[in-house]
Amino acid sequence: MNLEAVRAIYRFEMARTFRTLLQSIVSPVISTALYFVVFGAAIGSRIEQVEGVSYGAFIVPGLIMLSVIVQSVNNASFGIYFPKFIGTIYELLSAPASFLEITAGYVLAAATKSLAIGLIILATSFLFVDVTIAHPFAMIAFLVLTCLSFSLFGFIIGIWAQNFEQLQLVPLLVITPLIFLGGSFYSISMLPEIWQTITLFNPVVYLVSGFRWAFFGMADVSIGLSLLAILGFTALCLVTIWWIFRTGWRIRS
Amino acid sequence: MDDIVTVSGLGKRFASGFTALRSVDLSIRRGEILALLGPNGAGKTTLISSICGLTTPTSGEIRVGGHDVVHDYRKARALVGLVPQEINLEPFEKVINTVRFSRGLFGKPRNDAYIDEVLRKLSLSDKRESKVIELSGGMKRRVLIAKALSHEPRVLFLDEPTAGVDVELRKDMWRVVRALKDDGVTVILTTHYIEEAEEMADRIAVINDGEILLVEEKAALMRRMGQKQMIIELQEDVTEVPPALAGYDLHRNDDGDLVYTYDAKADRTGITRLLSDVAAAGLTLRDLQTRQSSLEDIFVGLVGKDPA
């Protein structure tokens, strides 16, 4: 096992994060603060409690998920796309490192960054609303798993993308709609019945629901199902990445 | 002599259908400088990409230090450093960090003393804290070499190290390569400049159209390359080499001209004597031209067609 390679990639990627600290950390925090102001304070004041939780607090898990998922995908996809774009990928391909080690380096770095952002947003939310966390360990576990699985997903996007447009395409056209329609800002029980059924095909529903359970002890779907969904998604991403490296798809001629 | 890299039956056909390599066999000796010489598109880069793991070969086997590059890729790749043709560097990172990164990537623990030594040898010491983007083209090339050397490889591949580089820097690069050889590193450099191969290499491999045409000691090859031809056009039609000139290495070409082959590097080329003998034989010169036998001539000699 070439752990030095994992460490080298991780460090190099984290250095990039620190070089672009403002863009990396500050901008998601500001945009989240805006969500709190708009949804929490302005609109939220007109909405009754949702299942016993004030609307402002209710959207906290969804907001964190929104940022964490988008950030994980963006960080990891850019992390591996950039070496492809500038040509430094030759070094990764010629190194005595396995797919697992290279992926681990990039994905851990991307997940670390989005985890930090998630925690910062959580801390920010305390300034705006009164949030309690019923199951803190489960909350952290869900957060970490989400960061990891969507960083894996982003890594795949970064390898797949052949230009900057494609790099933006999946987050924009797939991820963002899934998150917004995944119950980030509402409980799916608020939807008409037919939409409740359709929504169950959205994997993000399970994540947000599980995460919300960790905060408030209530969920749209069972916590076991949420856990299964996220583990299944992680496994799917891992298998895809293993296949990519085995065949050299889009990275090795 | 023992070989550090052996390539046998290597073939590469790209998905597009283009065949870049056809059954290449090549042995690279430990400690030598081998120049891989060939025109653009000959397969030089594909060959070294296959050895370094950037390209998956269609057929054949490659061993580095006895380790198969596919099945035992960790051990094989740990021995190899690659300096790519393009300047592929993370622009916003500091020189020292990008070199340290390479070392880590190849599984070596951090060793600042060694890295500092590499930077010093490449005259990069005062640039160690500079960002890559701030460096000149030549300096960037040195950073690429520093990265390739960061993990103490035993074999270094330099893909067109002096393409598009000015004369001063080229000479500089040659000095660096010689110093590496002195340190016991095996160096393989690809080039399409004959002078570069002449200047640097112990042995020269000529590749064209995906095939190795020859691998020869430089000295022997240069003797062949050093030959010149003088074409003597005469006013008179001659059907054969006149008997008075039989003592010279002369033949008659298709245009009816006399062709004299001589060693341009010899003390005496015999040209003066030949020309006075031509006059003494009663022949009149119309024109004279000389030409150096070149890489192209060797290609023509080897494959019977022009390298296109």
Side-chain angles (χ1 to χ4, degrees):
Chain A
M1 187 83 181
N2 184 353
L3 284 179
E4 285 293 340
V6 181
R7 196 176 308 163
I9 295 171
Y10 183 82
R11 235 189 240 145
F12 204 72
E13 284 302 296
M14 291 313 283
R16 188 205 312 283
T17 304
F18 288 114
R19 267 203 308 273
T20 54
L21 203 60
L22 209 64
Q23 180 201 333
S24 302
I25 307 278
V26 178
S27 74
V29 171
I30 288 178
S31 62
T32 311
L34 290 173
Y35 277 113
F36 276 121
V37 171
V38 175
F39 287 107
I43 297 174
S45 60
R46 309 223 169 171
I47 297 177
E48 292 293 308
Q49 291 191 335
V50 182
E51 297 178 30
V53 181
S54 78
Y55 186 68
F58 178 83
I59 62 169
V60 168
L63 270 183
I64 295 173
M65 276 289 161
L66 172 69
S67 290
V68 157
I69 290 174
V70 169
Q71 286 295 321
S72 297
V73 172
N74 283 348
N75 296 339
S77 62
F78 186 79
I80 188 67
Y81 178 74
F82 197 54
K84 267 183 21 173
F85 179 67
I86 60 173
T88 52
I89 189 138
Y90 83 88
E91 220 179 356
L92 297 172
L93 298 179
S94 64
S98 71
F99 90 93
L100 210 60
E101 292 145 3
I102 293 175
T103 308
Y106 281 101
V107 166
L108 287 177
T112 304
K113 186 170 146 187
S114 45
L115 180 65
I117 291 169
L119 293 175
I120 291 171
I121 292 172
L122 179 61
T124 313
S125 69
F126 287 123
L127 302 176
F128 293 90
V129 288
D130 198 12
V131 189
T132 51
I133 304 168
H135 309 283
F137 288 110
M139 188 277 286
I140 292 292
F142 253 99
L143 196 58
V144 170
L145 269 175
T146 307
C147 291
L148 283 174
S149 58
F150 279 87
S151 295
L152 283 168
F153 184 66
F155 190 79
I156 296 170
I157 307 257
I159 288 176
W160 165 78
Q162 286 172 315
N163 52 49
F164 275 101
E165 194 194 10
Q166 289 184 348
L167 196 64
Q168 301 293 335
L169 213 60
V170 175
L172 208 65
L173 294 185
V174 181
I175 303 289
T176 311
L178 284 183
I179 299 171
F180 273 86
L181 301 175
S184 299
F185 300 105
Y186 53 84
S187 162
I188 60 169
S189 62
M190 295 157 89
L191 296 173
E193 203 156 320
I194 174 80
W195 283 104
Q196 287 193 28
T197 313
I198 293 172
T199 293
L200 290 178
F201 289 98
N202 180 353
V204 177
V205 166
Y206 300 88
L207 298 182
V208 173
S209 165
F211 197 48
R212 191 172 285 141
W213 170 85
F215 276 81
F216 309 122
M218 50 128 169
D220 288 331
V221 292
S222 84
I223 178 72
L225 215 55
S226 290
L227 207 59
L228 209 63
I230 191 163
L231 290 176
F233 184 61
T234 310
L236 193 67
C237 292
L238 272 176
V239 169
T240 309
I241 292 170
W242 170 80
W243 173 83
I244 286 172
F245 276 84
R246 203 177 64 93
T247 58
W249 183 71
R250 296 225 165 151
I251 46 173
R252 186 176 271 132
S253 56
Chain B
M1 196 185 279
D2 83 305
D3 296 328
I4 191 152
V5 178
T6 53
V7 176
S8 39
L10 183 69
K12 174 63 185 175
R13 191 181 162 87
F14 285 100
S16 63
F18 174 69
T19 303
L21 297 174
R22 331 164 182 266
S23 196
V24 167
D25 295 300
L26 179 66
S27 294
I28 298 163
R29 298 169 184 166
R30 197 178 296 273
E32 75 172 341
I33 299 179
L34 178 82
L36 199 55
L37 194 63
N40 290 323
K44 303 187 293 283
T45 301
T46 307
L47 176 56
I48 64 173
S49 295
S50 302
I51 300 174
C52 297
L54 304 185
T55 299
T56 314
T58 319
S59 59
E61 190 192 63
I62 304 166
R63 288 181 175 275
V64 179
H67 308 292
D68 187 283
V69 298
V70 177
H71 301 112
D72 206 0
Y73 71 94
R74 284 185 198 269
K75 283 181 181 159
R77 289 184 191 174
L79 296 172
V80 175
L82 169 65
V83 182
Q85 193 171 338
E86 308 286 333
I87 296 181
N88 301 324
L89 285 167
E90 165 92 36
F92 307 110
E93 193 50 88
K94 283 182 188 172
V95 169
I96 180 73
N97 290 343
T98 181
V99 178
R100 270 189 200 139
F101 167 74
S102 301
R103 184 177 171 88
L105 195 60
F106 276 74
K108 292 267 174 144
R110 191 165 154 170
N111 180 345
D112 285 349
Y114 176 78
I115 298 287
D116 285 344
E117 179 64 12
V118 168
L119 294 181
R120 192 187 60 72
K121 280 185 181 165
L122 291 163
S123 315
L124 281 170
S125 296
D126 57 334
K127 303 284 182 205
R128 84 195 282 283
E129 298 298 327
S130 304
K131 282 185 184 169
V132 168
I133 200 168
E134 296 161 358
L135 302 181
S136 67
M139 283 294 166
K140 283 182 189 152
R141 242 170 228 284
R142 286 158 186 268
V143 174
L144 283 176
I145 298 179
K147 280 166 77 71
L149 291 175
S150 65
H151 64 280
E152 303 163 54
R154 302 314 301 153
V155 189
L156 185 69
F157 287 88
L158 293 152
D159 195 2
E160 304 269 355
T162 59
V165 157
D166 67 34
V167 180
E168 264 317 293
L169 187 62
R170 183 175 304 176
K171 287 187 175 159
D172 240 27
M173 216 51 94
W174 291 348
R175 265 195 293 278
V176 168
V177 171
R178 269 191 216 101
L180 289 173
K181 180 186 155 78
D182 293 341
D183 289 344
V185 177
T186 307
V187 180
I188 294 92
L189 56 94
T190 72
T191 180
H192 54 264
Y193 300 123
I194 185 78
E195 321 86 72
E196 185 154 277
E198 183 171 5
E199 180 72 28
M200 301 298 309
D202 298 314
R203 285 197 310 156
I204 294 175
V206 178
I207 183 170
N208 188 37
D209 202 17
E211 285 176 305
I212 300 273
L213 303 181
L214 66 85
V215 186
E216 225 173 283
E217 296 291 335
K218 177 181 70 181
L221 192 61
M222 282 307 146
R223 269 198 296 280
R224 281 163 64 181
M225 305 285 287
Q227 293 208 324
K228 281 188 90 169
Q229 290 187 323
M230 181 168 68
I231 297 156
I232 306 164
E233 285 183 44
L234 300 170
Q235 293 286 6
E236 299 81 7
D237 283 335
V238 290
T239 51
E240 57 181 13
V241 176
L245 305 174
Y248 295 95
D249 183 6
L250 273 175
H251 71 272
R252 188 180 161 279
N253 70 9
D254 296 340
D255 299 329
D257 305 322
L258 294 176
V259 180
Y260 174 54
T261 307
Y262 62 98
D263 183 356
K265 289 180 178 159
D267 291 340
R268 289 174 179 278
T269 57
I271 293 174
T272 316
R273 208 153 47 83
L274 170 65
L275 292 182
S276 60
D277 284 352
V278 166
L283 300 166
T284 319
L285 290 174
R286 183 165 46 204
D287 198 4
L288 261 187
Q289 48 174 312
T290 66
R291 61 187 199 99
Q292 178 93 42
S293 62
S294 62
L295 183 56
E296 278 75 12
D297 291 331
I298 289 204
F299 280 127
V300 174
L302 284 166
V303 298
K305 62 180 169 87
D306 282 323

PDB file of all heavy atoms in Angstrom, chain A residues 5-14 98-112 155:
ATOM      1  N   ALA A   5       1.658   8.114  -1.192  1.00  0.00           N
ATOM      2  CA  ALA A   5       0.978   8.712  -2.350  1.00  0.00           C
ATOM      3  C   ALA A   5      -0.338   9.336  -1.925  1.00  0.00           C
ATOM      4  O   ALA A   5      -0.670  10.455  -2.330  1.00  0.00           O
ATOM      5  CB  ALA A   5       0.744   7.646  -3.427  1.00  0.00           C
ATOM      6  N   VAL A   6      -1.085   8.617  -1.076  1.00  0.00           N
ATOM      7  CA  VAL A   6      -2.361   9.154  -0.592  1.00  0.00           C
ATOM      8  C   VAL A   6      -2.097  10.473   0.136  1.00  0.00           C
ATOM      9  O   VAL A   6      -2.771  11.483  -0.088  1.00  0.00           O
ATOM     10  CB  VAL A   6      -3.046   8.148   0.370  1.00  0.00           C
ATOM     11  CG1 VAL A   6      -4.374   8.703   0.856  1.00  0.00           C
ATOM     12  CG2 VAL A   6      -3.241   6.807  -0.307  1.00  0.00           C
ATOM     13  N   ARG A   7      -1.090  10.429   1.001  1.00  0.00           N
ATOM     14  CA  ARG A   7      -0.767  11.626   1.784  1.00  0.00           C
ATOM     15  C   ARG A   7      -0.335  12.781   0.883  1.00  0.00           C
ATOM     16  O   ARG A   7      -0.740  13.926   1.073  1.00  0.00           O
ATOM     17  CB  ARG A   7       0.364  11.273   2.774  1.00  0.00           C
ATOM     18  CG  ARG A   7       0.514  12.292   3.884  1.00  0.00           C
ATOM     19  CD  ARG A   7       1.566  11.853   4.876  1.00  0.00           C
ATOM     20  NE  ARG A   7       1.324  10.478   5.347  1.00  0.00           N
ATOM     21  CZ  ARG A   7       2.248   9.731   5.946  1.00  0.00           C
ATOM     22  NH1 ARG A   7       3.470  10.179   6.114  1.00  0.00           N
ATOM     23  NH2 ARG A   7       1.954   8.520   6.371  1.00  0.00           N
ATOM     24  N   ALA A   8       0.489  12.455  -0.134  1.00  0.00           N
ATOM     25  CA  ALA A   8       0.990  13.506  -1.033  1.00  0.00           C
ATOM     26  C   ALA A   8      -0.168  14.169  -1.779  1.00  0.00           C
ATOM     27  O   ALA A   8      -0.246  15.397  -1.856  1.00  0.00           O
ATOM     28  CB  ALA A   8       1.991  12.911  -2.024  1.00  0.00           C
ATOM     29  N   ILE A   9      -1.069  13.352  -2.305  1.00  0.00           N
ATOM     30  CA  ILE A   9      -2.204  13.918  -3.057  1.00  0.00           C
ATOM     31  C   ILE A   9      -3.083  14.734  -2.117  1.00  0.00           C
ATOM     32  O   ILE A   9      -3.499  15.849  -2.432  1.00  0.00           O
ATOM     33  CB  ILE A   9      -3.033  12.797  -3.739  1.00  0.00           C
ATOM     34  CG1 ILE A   9      -2.193  12.085  -4.793  1.00  0.00           C
ATOM     35  CG2 ILE A   9      -4.304  13.366  -4.370  1.00  0.00           C
ATOM     36  CD1 ILE A   9      -2.832  10.831  -5.363  1.00  0.00           C
ATOM     37  N   TYR A  10      -3.338  14.172  -0.939  1.00  0.00           N
ATOM     38  CA  TYR A  10      -4.201  14.846   0.036  1.00  0.00           C
ATOM     39  C   TYR A  10      -3.635  16.227   0.386  1.00  0.00           C
ATOM     40  O   TYR A  10      -4.336  17.237   0.346  1.00  0.00           O
ATOM     41  CB  TYR A  10      -4.324  13.980   1.289  1.00  0.00           C
ATOM     42  CG  TYR A  10      -5.256  14.538   2.338  1.00  0.00           C
ATOM     43  CD1 TYR A  10      -6.627  14.341   2.233  1.00  0.00           C
ATOM     44  CD2 TYR A  10      -4.780  15.275   3.418  1.00  0.00           C
ATOM     45  CE1 TYR A  10      -7.492  14.861   3.185  1.00  0.00           C
ATOM     46  CE2 TYR A  10      -5.629  15.796   4.374  1.00  0.00           C
ATOM     47  CZ  TYR A  10      -6.990  15.585   4.248  1.00  0.00           C
ATOM     48  OH  TYR A  10      -7.838  16.101   5.181  1.00  0.00           O
ATOM     49  N   ARG A  11      -2.345  16.229   0.670  1.00  0.00           N
ATOM     50  CA  ARG A  11      -1.700  17.490   1.056  1.00  0.00           C
ATOM     51  C   ARG A  11      -1.737  18.513  -0.073  1.00  0.00           C
ATOM     52  O   ARG A  11      -1.996  19.691   0.125  1.00  0.00           O
ATOM     53  CB  ARG A  11      -0.240  17.203   1.432  1.00  0.00           C
ATOM     54  CG  ARG A  11       0.073  17.703   2.807  1.00  0.00           C
ATOM     55  CD  ARG A  11       1.541  17.607   3.068  1.00  0.00           C
ATOM     56  NE  ARG A  11       1.776  16.754   4.211  1.00  0.00           N
ATOM     57  CZ  ARG A  11       2.797  15.938   4.353  1.00  0.00           C
ATOM     58  NH1 ARG A  11       3.695  15.835   3.398  1.00  0.00           N
ATOM     59  NH2 ARG A  11       2.934  15.224   5.428  1.00  0.00           N
ATOM     60  N   PHE A  12      -1.456  18.025  -1.268  1.00  0.00           N
ATOM     61  CA  PHE A  12      -1.413  18.897  -2.435  1.00  0.00           C
ATOM     62  C   PHE A  12      -2.785  19.516  -2.678  1.00  0.00           C
ATOM     63  O   PHE A  12      -2.906  20.706  -2.977  1.00  0.00           O
ATOM     64  CB  PHE A  12      -0.997  18.060  -3.656  1.00  0.00           C
ATOM     65  CG  PHE A  12      -0.380  18.860  -4.762  1.00  0.00           C
ATOM     66  CD1 PHE A  12       0.890  19.386  -4.620  1.00  0.00           C
ATOM     67  CD2 PHE A  12      -1.049  19.061  -5.957  1.00  0.00           C
ATOM     68  CE1 PHE A  12       1.478  20.117  -5.642  1.00  0.00           C
ATOM     69  CE2 PHE A  12      -0.467  19.781  -6.987  1.00  0.00           C
ATOM     70  CZ  PHE A  12       0.792  20.307  -6.824  1.00  0.00           C
ATOM     71  N   GLU A  13      -3.818  18.715  -2.544  1.00  0.00           N
ATOM     72  CA  GLU A  13      -5.183  19.196  -2.757  1.00  0.00           C
ATOM     73  C   GLU A  13      -5.614  20.157  -1.655  1.00  0.00           C
ATOM     74  O   GLU A  13      -6.282  21.157  -1.908  1.00  0.00           O
ATOM     75  CB  GLU A  13      -6.149  18.006  -2.827  1.00  0.00           C
ATOM     76  CG  GLU A  13      -6.079  17.257  -4.127  1.00  0.00           C
ATOM     77  CD  GLU A  13      -6.358  18.158  -5.318  1.00  0.00           C
ATOM     78  OE1 GLU A  13      -7.470  18.673  -5.431  1.00  0.00           O
ATOM     79  OE2 GLU A  13      -5.427  18.371  -6.120  1.00  0.00           O
ATOM     80  N   MET A  14      -5.213  19.848  -0.411  1.00  0.00           N
ATOM     81  CA  MET A  14      -5.579  20.738   0.685  1.00  0.00           C
ATOM     82  C   MET A  14      -4.858  22.082   0.525  1.00  0.00           C
ATOM     83  O   MET A  14      -5.402  23.126   0.863  1.00  0.00           O
ATOM     84  CB  MET A  14      -5.247  20.107   2.043  1.00  0.00           C
ATOM     85  CG  MET A  14      -6.125  18.916   2.412  1.00  0.00           C
ATOM     86  SD  MET A  14      -7.899  19.175   2.160  1.00  0.00           S
ATOM     87  CE  MET A  14      -8.300  20.193   3.566  1.00  0.00           C
ATOM     88  N   SER A  98      -1.978   2.608  -6.781  1.00  0.00           N
ATOM     89  CA  SER A  98      -3.152   1.919  -7.319  1.00  0.00           C
ATOM     90  C   SER A  98      -4.319   2.895  -7.432  1.00  0.00           C
ATOM     91  O   SER A  98      -4.261   4.009  -6.918  1.00  0.00           O
ATOM     92  CB  SER A  98      -3.538   0.769  -6.410  1.00  0.00           C
ATOM     93  OG  SER A  98      -4.073   1.292  -5.215  1.00  0.00           O
ATOM     94  N   PHE A  99      -5.397   2.430  -8.080  1.00  0.00           N
ATOM     95  CA  PHE A  99      -6.564   3.306  -8.231  1.00  0.00           C
ATOM     96  C   PHE A  99      -7.116   3.693  -6.877  1.00  0.00           C
ATOM     97  O   PHE A  99      -7.585   4.811  -6.668  1.00  0.00           O
ATOM     98  CB  PHE A  99      -7.631   2.617  -9.085  1.00  0.00           C
ATOM     99  CG  PHE A  99      -8.625   1.798  -8.319  1.00  0.00           C
ATOM    100  CD1 PHE A  99      -9.828   2.348  -7.889  1.00  0.00           C
ATOM    101  CD2 PHE A  99      -8.352   0.487  -8.001  1.00  0.00           C
ATOM    102  CE1 PHE A  99     -10.740   1.594  -7.170  1.00  0.00           C
ATOM    103  CE2 PHE A  99      -9.250  -0.265  -7.283  1.00  0.00           C
ATOM    104  CZ  PHE A  99     -10.445   0.277  -6.861  1.00  0.00           C
ATOM    105  N   LEU A 100      -6.999   2.770  -5.944  1.00  0.00           N
ATOM    106  CA  LEU A 100      -7.548   3.011  -4.613  1.00  0.00           C
ATOM    107  C   LEU A 100      -6.798   4.164  -3.934  1.00  0.00           C
ATOM    108  O   LEU A 100      -7.407   5.034  -3.308  1.00  0.00           O
ATOM    109  CB  LEU A 100      -7.394   1.733  -3.788  1.00  0.00           C
ATOM    110  CG  LEU A 100      -8.438   1.501  -2.719  1.00  0.00           C
ATOM    111  CD1 LEU A 100      -9.820   1.410  -3.333  1.00  0.00           C
ATOM    112  CD2 LEU A 100      -8.117   0.237  -1.940  1.00  0.00           C
ATOM    113  N   GLU A 101      -5.490   4.170  -4.089  1.00  0.00           N
ATOM    114  CA  GLU A 101      -4.673   5.196  -3.435  1.00  0.00           C
ATOM    115  C   GLU A 101      -4.892   6.568  -4.065  1.00  0.00           C
ATOM    116  O   GLU A 101      -5.024   7.573  -3.357  1.00  0.00           O
ATOM    117  CB  GLU A 101      -3.194   4.801  -3.497  1.00  0.00           C
ATOM    118  CG  GLU A 101      -2.897   3.595  -2.636  1.00  0.00           C
ATOM    119  CD  GLU A 101      -1.843   2.664  -3.197  1.00  0.00           C
ATOM    120  OE1 GLU A 101      -1.267   2.980  -4.271  1.00  0.00           O
ATOM    121  OE2 GLU A 101      -1.608   1.620  -2.585  1.00  0.00           O
ATOM    122  N   ILE A 102      -4.935   6.604  -5.397  1.00  0.00           N
ATOM    123  CA  ILE A 102      -5.146   7.886  -6.078  1.00  0.00           C
ATOM    124  C   ILE A 102      -6.530   8.428  -5.741  1.00  0.00           C
ATOM    125  O   ILE A 102      -6.691   9.600  -5.365  1.00  0.00           O
ATOM    126  CB  ILE A 102      -4.989   7.720  -7.613  1.00  0.00           C
ATOM    127  CG1 ILE A 102      -3.538   7.389  -7.933  1.00  0.00           C
ATOM    128  CG2 ILE A 102      -5.418   8.985  -8.341  1.00  0.00           C
ATOM    129  CD1 ILE A 102      -3.273   7.074  -9.386  1.00  0.00           C
ATOM    130  N   THR A 103      -7.537   7.554  -5.814  1.00  0.00           N
ATOM    131  CA  THR A 103      -8.901   7.979  -5.496  1.00  0.00           C
ATOM    132  C   THR A 103      -8.980   8.445  -4.048  1.00  0.00           C
ATOM    133  O   THR A 103      -9.580   9.491  -3.757  1.00  0.00           O
ATOM    134  CB  THR A 103      -9.887   6.809  -5.730  1.00  0.00           C
ATOM    135  OG1 THR A 103      -9.681   6.309  -7.035  1.00  0.00           O
ATOM    136  CG2 THR A 103     -11.321   7.264  -5.569  1.00  0.00           C
ATOM    137  N   ALA A 104      -8.370   7.680  -3.157  1.00  0.00           N
ATOM    138  CA  ALA A 104      -8.419   8.033  -1.733  1.00  0.00           C
ATOM    139  C   ALA A 104      -7.853   9.427  -1.502  1.00  0.00           C
ATOM    140  O   ALA A 104      -8.443  10.235  -0.775  1.00  0.00           O
ATOM    141  CB  ALA A 104      -7.652   6.999  -0.907  1.00  0.00           C
ATOM    142  N   GLY A 105      -6.731   9.729  -2.137  1.00  0.00           N
ATOM    143  CA  GLY A 105      -6.103  11.038  -1.952  1.00  0.00           C
ATOM    144  C   GLY A 105      -7.045  12.168  -2.345  1.00  0.00           C
ATOM    145  O   GLY A 105      -7.280  13.102  -1.573  1.00  0.00           O
ATOM    146  N   TYR A 106      -7.604  12.066  -3.554  1.00  0.00           N
ATOM    147  CA  TYR A 106      -8.476  13.139  -4.053  1.00  0.00           C
ATOM    148  C   TYR A 106      -9.794  13.200  -3.299  1.00  0.00           C
ATOM    149  O   TYR A 106     -10.273  14.275  -2.942  1.00  0.00           O
ATOM    150  CB  TYR A 106      -8.738  12.949  -5.557  1.00  0.00           C
ATOM    151  CG  TYR A 106      -7.585  13.418  -6.399  1.00  0.00           C
ATOM    152  CD1 TYR A 106      -6.675  12.528  -6.931  1.00  0.00           C
ATOM    153  CD2 TYR A 106      -7.388  14.785  -6.610  1.00  0.00           C
ATOM    154  CE1 TYR A 106      -5.603  12.970  -7.674  1.00  0.00           C
ATOM    155  CE2 TYR A 106      -6.323  15.232  -7.357  1.00  0.00           C
ATOM    156  CZ  TYR A 106      -5.427  14.320  -7.886  1.00  0.00           C
ATOM    157  OH  TYR A 106      -4.363  14.759  -8.620  1.00  0.00           O
ATOM    158  N   VAL A 107     -10.383  12.020  -3.059  1.00  0.00           N
ATOM    159  CA  VAL A 107     -11.706  11.997  -2.445  1.00  0.00           C
ATOM    160  C   VAL A 107     -11.634  12.425  -0.973  1.00  0.00           C
ATOM    161  O   VAL A 107     -12.484  13.194  -0.504  1.00  0.00           O
ATOM    162  CB  VAL A 107     -12.338  10.589  -2.609  1.00  0.00           C
ATOM    163  CG1 VAL A 107     -13.534  10.420  -1.703  1.00  0.00           C
ATOM    164  CG2 VAL A 107     -12.722  10.374  -4.064  1.00  0.00           C
ATOM    165  N   LEU A 108     -10.600  11.982  -0.267  1.00  0.00           N
ATOM    166  CA  LEU A 108     -10.478  12.401   1.134  1.00  0.00           C
ATOM    167  C   LEU A 108     -10.291  13.908   1.233  1.00  0.00           C
ATOM    168  O   LEU A 108     -10.852  14.563   2.124  1.00  0.00           O
ATOM    169  CB  LEU A 108      -9.324  11.669   1.821  1.00  0.00           C
ATOM    170  CG  LEU A 108      -9.575  10.183   2.130  1.00  0.00           C
ATOM    171  CD1 LEU A 108      -8.333   9.554   2.737  1.00  0.00           C
ATOM    172  CD2 LEU A 108     -10.759  10.019   3.069  1.00  0.00           C
ATOM    173  N   ALA A 109      -9.495  14.464   0.323  1.00  0.00           N
ATOM    174  CA  ALA A 109      -9.277  15.913   0.360  1.00  0.00           C
ATOM    175  C   ALA A 109     -10.579  16.661   0.074  1.00  0.00           C
ATOM    176  O   ALA A 109     -10.940  17.611   0.777  1.00  0.00           O
ATOM    177  CB  ALA A 109      -8.200  16.306  -0.650  1.00  0.00           C
ATOM    178  N   ALA A 110     -11.302  16.200  -0.953  1.00  0.00           N
ATOM    179  CA  ALA A 110     -12.563  16.864  -1.301  1.00  0.00           C
ATOM    180  C   ALA A 110     -13.564  16.720  -0.161  1.00  0.00           C
ATOM    181  O   ALA A 110     -14.270  17.680   0.194  1.00  0.00           O
ATOM    182  CB  ALA A 110     -13.136  16.251  -2.584  1.00  0.00           C
ATOM    183  N   ALA A 111     -13.614  15.529   0.445  1.00  0.00           N
ATOM    184  CA  ALA A 111     -14.568  15.284   1.526  1.00  0.00           C
ATOM    185  C   ALA A 111     -14.208  16.109   2.764  1.00  0.00           C
ATOM    186  O   ALA A 111     -15.094  16.627   3.456  1.00  0.00           O
ATOM    187  CB  ALA A 111     -14.604  13.800   1.861  1.00  0.00           C
ATOM    188  N   THR A 112     -12.922  16.251   3.023  1.00  0.00           N
ATOM    189  CA  THR A 112     -12.488  17.057   4.174  1.00  0.00           C
ATOM    190  C   THR A 112     -12.982  18.491   4.031  1.00  0.00           C
ATOM    191  O   THR A 112     -13.512  19.094   4.968  1.00  0.00           O
ATOM    192  CB  THR A 112     -10.940  17.081   4.272  1.00  0.00           C
ATOM    193  OG1 THR A 112     -10.477  15.748   4.327  1.00  0.00           O
ATOM    194  CG2 THR A 112     -10.481  17.852   5.500  1.00  0.00           C
ATOM    195  N   PHE A 155     -15.639  12.678  -8.300  1.00  0.00           N
ATOM    196  CA  PHE A 155     -14.410  12.142  -8.894  1.00  0.00           C
ATOM    197  C   PHE A 155     -14.717  11.495 -10.250  1.00  0.00           C
ATOM    198  O   PHE A 155     -14.002  11.703 -11.232  1.00  0.00           O
ATOM    199  CB  PHE A 155     -13.808  11.121  -7.924  1.00  0.00           C
ATOM    200  CG  PHE A 155     -12.428  10.660  -8.284  1.00  0.00           C
ATOM    201  CD1 PHE A 155     -11.321  11.443  -7.994  1.00  0.00           C
ATOM    202  CD2 PHE A 155     -12.229   9.443  -8.913  1.00  0.00           C
ATOM    203  CE1 PHE A 155     -10.041  11.014  -8.317  1.00  0.00           C
ATOM    204  CE2 PHE A 155     -10.962   9.005  -9.248  1.00  0.00           C
ATOM    205  CZ  PHE A 155      -9.871   9.787  -8.945  1.00  0.00           C
TER     206      PHE A 155
END
